[in-house]
Amino acid sequence: MIICLNCNHKEFVGTLICSECGSRLAHDAPLPQTRASRSSKFIDGATKPPAPEGPDLTSGSILGLRIVSTGDVISLLGRSNYTLGRSGEGQAVIPDVDLIDYDAFKHGISRIHAELRLQSDSLHVYDLDSANGTLVNGRRLDPQQGIPLRHGDILQLGSLRLQIISRMRNLR
């Protein structure tokens, strides 16, 4: 059985969505609280900022997202997939990485916008039929079609630009 982290309802192994509250079920270790940490700021422009070496990641993290406009870093730890989006009042399903603190609504980020899938040798992003699209290095993704990501790539959700930070050798 899988236990929903949101409402503690029990579901059968392999179930993706909790039938009680609608939350996405975790098949890995629970996602620890992620906090953005301040680092050097970038100028938000059309050019790709230099890829950082990853020292801003939380201890134990091998993957992170840098908010290009602020330089804040969100470390990703403990899961093999992460939904990206924004929370809303009364919303039953909350994304793993909630970008509401970065004016997600103003940037056109959907509630469940995209998903990062980490495998042993690759990282892929999938647009989850978002209203305003997902781009990787300026190239628009087709909905539900994965594209590989590398360290330093720019992931754009709506108009919010994020940079992939990775300590994984095969993503460099």
Side-chain angles (χ1 to χ4, degrees), residues 46-159:
T47 61
K48 184 175 172 180
E53 289 302 315
D56 296 332
L57 294 176
T58 301
S59 178
S61 270
I62 59 169
L63 187 63
L65 300 170
R66 182 183 307 270
I67 311 298
V68 173
S69 61
T70 66
D72 289 357
V73 173
I74 301 171
S75 294
L76 304 177
L77 178 67
R79 307 265 317 249
S80 60
N81 63 336
Y82 301 88
T83 54
L84 310 175
R86 65 175 169 84
S87 59
E89 193 172 322
Q91 180 178 338
V93 179
I94 306 297
D96 298 321
V97 179
D98 188 2
L99 298 167
I100 197 71
D101 291 339
Y102 299 99
D103 295 323
F105 184 78
K106 183 180 91 175
H107 285 289
I109 296 175
S110 296
R111 293 176 193 265
I112 302 295
H113 194 105
E115 182 177 18
L116 294 177
R117 294 182 192 167
L118 181 62
Q119 299 167 351
S120 60
D121 62 344
S122 64
L123 173 67
H124 285 76
V125 63
Y126 294 80
D127 179 84
L128 300 178
D129 295 308
S130 64
N132 294 305
T134 302
L135 289 83
V136 173
N137 297 327
R139 179 179 158 219
R140 183 171 295 277
L141 301 183
D142 292 327
Q144 303 295 333
Q145 298 296 312
I147 184 172
L149 294 173
R150 299 188 58 79
H151 174 73
D153 282 350
I154 299 296
L155 176 63
Q156 186 172 321
L157 308 178
S159 63

